Every structure is written in C-alpha cells, then in structure tokens.
C-alpha cells in the first residue's frame, strides 16, 4: 500500500506522486540525497570560493573586492540563517508536504552566486555600489529614527526608575 516499489516508505500517503526513471517508479519526494547535501554545500559555498579568493589575492586581480564581498555576504547570511531560518523555512515547510526542496534551493542559490558563468555575487555587488547613495540615505534615516526612539525610551526609564 505504498507508492515505493520496495514498500520502504510506510509514512507516505497511498497516492503519492511518483516519477518514472529508467523504468523504475521513484517517489517524487526523493530529491538530492541528504547525505550529499553537506559535502556539496562545503564544496560550493566554502572550498570553491576559498580557492578563488586565494587565486584572486595571489594574482592581484580585480576580483579581490568581489570575493571579499562574497565572504562578508557569507558571514551575514550565516548570521541571518542562524536567527531567522525558522521564518525562511515556512514556505518550504508548506511545500514539503509534496516535495522537500529547502536544501536544493540553498545549493542552487550558492551555485548561482559563485559559478563563473553566472557570478551573481558580482552583479549584486555592482548593484549595491551603484545605489550606495540611496542605501546610505535610507540607513541613516532609519538609524536616526531608531536613535530617537531609544533616547526617548531611555529618558522615560531614567525618569521612572531614578
């Protein structure tokens, strides 16, 4: 009563979608094997950029700034995922009832960021550099508003407690 020909998926519903691969029925939920996600992630997100960074530093090419930007973006994304992964996973949780794509989407995003054919990280860097003035204005405005709110709250706490 399982969609898997080997009856190894007892938790799946009776009518789960299946793909035909070389004449075999494979459950649609089996995407990239999980034991391969971490090695591919390390190779794509860490080792390849590390080698490219060292090459750019050694040859003193123009890509040094791009790879520095990549490592800053990597650190920022790591921090954001550490604190807000639960929020990012919500759409993938809903989608996981049919197919689990969370790790595949992460790998695909990193692939597009660092692959020399696409090199999306350079496009992002150029976009941010071309809009630096607008970004600076927005950040300083929001920082000023946050400073006003914090000062007002601290003054209120000082008056209330001291």
């Amino acid at each position: 009563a399982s969609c898997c020909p080997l009856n190894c998926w007892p938790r799946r519903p009776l009518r789960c979608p299946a793909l035909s691969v070389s004449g075999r029925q494979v459950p649609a939920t089996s995407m990239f094997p999980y034991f391969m996600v971490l090695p591919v992630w390390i190779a794509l997100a860490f080792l390849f950029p590390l080698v490219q960074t060292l090459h750019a530093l050694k040859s003193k090419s123009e890509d040094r700034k791009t790879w520095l930007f990549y490592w800053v973006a990597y650190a920022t994304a790591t921090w954001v995922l550490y604190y807000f992964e639960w929020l990012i996973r919500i759409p993938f949780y809903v989608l996981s009832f049919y197919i689990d794509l969370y790790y595949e989407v992460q790998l695909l995003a990193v692939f597009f960021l660092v692959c020399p054919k696409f090199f999306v990280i350079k496009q992002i860097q150029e976009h941010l550099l071309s809009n630096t003035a607008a970004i600076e204005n927005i950040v300083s405005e929001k920082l000023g508003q946050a400073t006003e709110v914090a000062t007002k709250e601290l003054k209120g706490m000082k008056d209330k407690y001291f």
Side-chain angles (χ1 to χ4, degrees):
S2 173
C3 66
C4 179
L6 303 175
N7 290 326
C8 59
W9 290 52
R11 287 190 255 151
R12 292 285 166 217
L14 293 176
R15 294 186 200 157
C16 68
L19 303 172
S20 179
V21 178
S22 301
R24 283 184 39 215
Q25 291 292 322
V26 180
T29 55
S30 64
M31 293 300 293
F32 201 63
Y34 286 124
F35 69 90
M36 295 205 42
V37 169
L38 184 61
V40 173
W41 174 259
I42 290 171
L44 275 177
F46 191 77
L47 293 178
F48 179 74
L50 180 66
V51 170
Q52 292 298 319
T53 302
L54 293 175
H55 178 71
L57 289 173
K58 186 176 180 182
S59 64
K60 297 186 179 182
S61 71
E62 290 295 318
D63 286 340
R64 291 182 301 175
K65 291 181 182 178
T66 303
W67 288 111
L68 175 65
F69 179 74
Y70 172 80
W71 289 111
V72 170
Y74 180 87
T76 305
T78 302
W79 180 83
V80 167
L81 281 176
Y82 181 77
Y83 289 105
F84 300 108
E85 186 175 24
W86 61 271
L87 187 62
I88 295 169
R89 280 193 81 126
I90 291 173
F92 293 101
Y93 178 73
V94 172
L95 191 60
S96 73
F97 288 109
Y98 303 105
I99 191 165
D100 191 15
L101 290 175
Y102 180 69
Y103 296 109
E104 287 83 358
V105 170
Q106 280 187 347
L107 290 173
L108 191 65
V110 169
F111 177 76
F112 279 113
L113 285 174
V114 300
C115 180
K117 184 175 181 176
F118 306 107
F119 214 38
V120 175
I121 193 72
K122 188 169 185 98
Q123 296 170 9
I124 293 171
Q125 179 192 20
E126 290 170 355
H127 178 73
L128 290 176
L129 286 175
S130 66
N131 295 317
T132 302
I135 294 169
E136 227 172 63
N137 290 338
I138 292 170
V139 168
S140 64
E141 176 186 327
K142 297 299 179 187
L143 191 59
Q145 291 173 355
T147 304
E148 288 175 15
V149 169
T151 305
K152 181 180 174 184
E153 291 297 321
L154 286 173
K155 190 178 276 190
M157 288 173 59
K158 181 182 171 189
D159 293 341
K160 185 176 180 180
Y161 295 110
F162 297 109

